[in-house]
């Protein structure tokens, strides 16, 4: 399985580099991710526990599992994974994000291997993981299919990749761009490009093309009245998350 030289789009990295200092501000530009985090963490933990036969009720149910959070940002997912006992690597091409993530983790007493690195550089090092997380990043890379193939290369046989992104629908344009960027101004205008959004069938096809078996996919639905997110088996029209397994 071959990977491209890089999955990095400099313009996309610059967008997030400019917002790096706000990662841990729940009222700042990453407010949507703070609101979404509980439901996506629940999904991730449920999938990992099911795939590896772990009991989530334990204090450190993911002891012994290597988890990579690629495009980790400030560590909103990496830190909870470390608290659950996983051996976590957080990688991001934006050095400003990594600086923020390291400082915050140190303040929490968490040992996380944060790296200013690309997925491809980790493949070149021969790194392999039980779980690869690629959350809200697929729509920002120049070649999503090649990026999914790189995620596959980072998995040990029997490992799983969990990817979340935005569907390319009229509803997602209204919610993610008109709503979040233009009206509510949660994010700077231009953070997302609707043309780069990926349908669930397209992402599943990329996973299959990379030699992965899709095990599950769910929608993540935002309720503007309760300001809360929930998982949905049916509504994948805006945000969704997918689990794919490397067999063997």
């Amino acid at each position: 399985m071959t990977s491209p030289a890089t999955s990095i789009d400099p313009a996309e990295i610059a967008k997030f580099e400019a917002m790096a200092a706000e990662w841990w501000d729940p009222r700042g530009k990453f407010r949507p991710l703070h609101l979404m985090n509980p439901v996506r963490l629940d999904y991730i933990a449920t999938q990992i526990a099911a795939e590896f036969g772990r009991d989530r009720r334990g204090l450190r149910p993911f002891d012994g599992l290597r988890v990579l959070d690629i495009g980790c940002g400030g560590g909103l997912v990496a830190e909870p994974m470390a608290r659950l006992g996983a051996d976590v690597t957080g990688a991001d091409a934006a050095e400003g994000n990594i600086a923020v993530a390291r400082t915050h983790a140190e303040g929490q007493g968490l040992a996380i291997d944060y790296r200013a690195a690309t997925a491809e550089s980790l493949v070149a090092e021969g790194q392999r993981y039980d779980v690869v997380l690629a959350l809200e990043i697929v729509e920002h890379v120049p070649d999503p299919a090649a990026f999914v193939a790189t995620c596959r290369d980072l998995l040990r046989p029997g490992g799983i990749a969990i990817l979340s992104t935005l569907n390319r629908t009229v509803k997602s344009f209204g919610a993610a761009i008109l709503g979040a960027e233009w009206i509510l101004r949660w994010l700077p205008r231009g953070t997302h490009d609707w043309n780069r959004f990926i349908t669930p069938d397209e992402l599943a096809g990329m996973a299959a093309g990379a030699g992965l078996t899709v095990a599950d996919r769910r929608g993540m639905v935002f309720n503007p009245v309760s300001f809360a997110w929930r998982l949905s088996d049916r509504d994948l029209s805006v945000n969704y998350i997918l689990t794919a397994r490397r067999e063997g």
Side-chain angles (χ1 to χ4, degrees), residues 106-144:
E106 288 170 3
Q108 300 296 309
L110 295 171
I112 298 173
D113 180 14
Y114 280 120
R115 305 184 184 195
T118 66
E120 294 78 18
S121 67
L122 295 174
V123 171
E125 290 178 16
Q127 299 290 340
R128 297 295 181 270
Y129 301 89
D130 299 293
V131 180
V132 171
L133 305 176
L135 309 173
E136 283 69 57
I137 183 177
V138 186
E139 71 272 20
H140 296 289
V141 301
D143 188 339

Side-chain angles (χ1 to χ4, degrees), residues 13-227:
I13 296 302
K15 291 177 187 177
F16 290 93
E17 190 90 61
M19 299 186 287
E22 297 194 46
W23 271 106
W24 287 96
D25 180 358
R27 298 181 182 274
K29 292 184 173 65
F30 294 102
R31 186 183 185 191
L33 291 185
H34 282 272
L35 292 170
M36 180 193 290
N37 223 28
V39 74
R40 68 176 181 176
L41 284 169
D42 183 60
Y43 177 87
I44 291 165
T46 297
Q47 293 298 311
I48 295 173
E51 288 290 332
F52 295 97
R54 301 302 179 93
D55 184 352
R56 287 182 60 187
R57 294 171 296 181
L59 290 177
R60 294 174 58 86
F62 299 157
D63 262 335
L65 294 179
R66 294 196 77 205
V67 174
L68 169 66
D69 184 6
I70 188 73
C72 64
L76 300 187
V77 172
E79 288 197 8
M81 290 295 103
R83 289 192 177 95
L84 289 170
D87 177 6
V88 180
T89 297
D92 202 297
E95 293 187 8
N97 289 344
I98 292 298
V100 169
R102 281 177 178 155
T103 299
H104 196 273
E106 288 170 3
Q108 300 296 309
L110 295 171
I112 298 173
D113 180 14
Y114 280 120
R115 305 184 184 195
T118 66
E120 294 78 18
S121 67
L122 295 174
V123 171
E125 290 178 16
Q127 299 290 340
R128 297 295 181 270
Y129 301 89
D130 299 293
V131 180
V132 171
L133 305 176
L135 309 173
E136 283 69 57
I137 183 177
V138 186
E139 71 272 20
H140 296 289
V141 301
D143 188 339
F147 175 73
V148 173
T150 301
C151 290
R152 183 267 183 194
D153 291 344
L154 286 163
L155 285 172
R156 294 170 174 168
I160 58 171
I162 301 177
L163 307 98
S164 62
T165 189
L166 286 150
N167 197 349
R168 194 175 61 256
T169 62
V170 173
K171 188 174 179 181
S172 72
F173 183 86
I177 296 178
L178 288 178
E181 295 184 18
W182 296 7
I183 298 173
L184 296 174
R185 298 182 181 179
W186 282 347
L187 297 168
R189 288 193 183 190
T191 298
H192 291 106
D193 180 350
W194 182 84
N195 294 297
R196 297 176 78 158
F197 291 0
I198 301 164
T199 71
D201 287 344
E202 287 171 347
L203 187 58
M206 294 174 193
L212 297 170
T213 301
V214 175
D216 186 82
R217 61 184 184 182
R218 308 282 178 90
M220 293 187 291
V221 182
F222 179 65
N223 185 326
V225 177
S226 64
F227 257 62

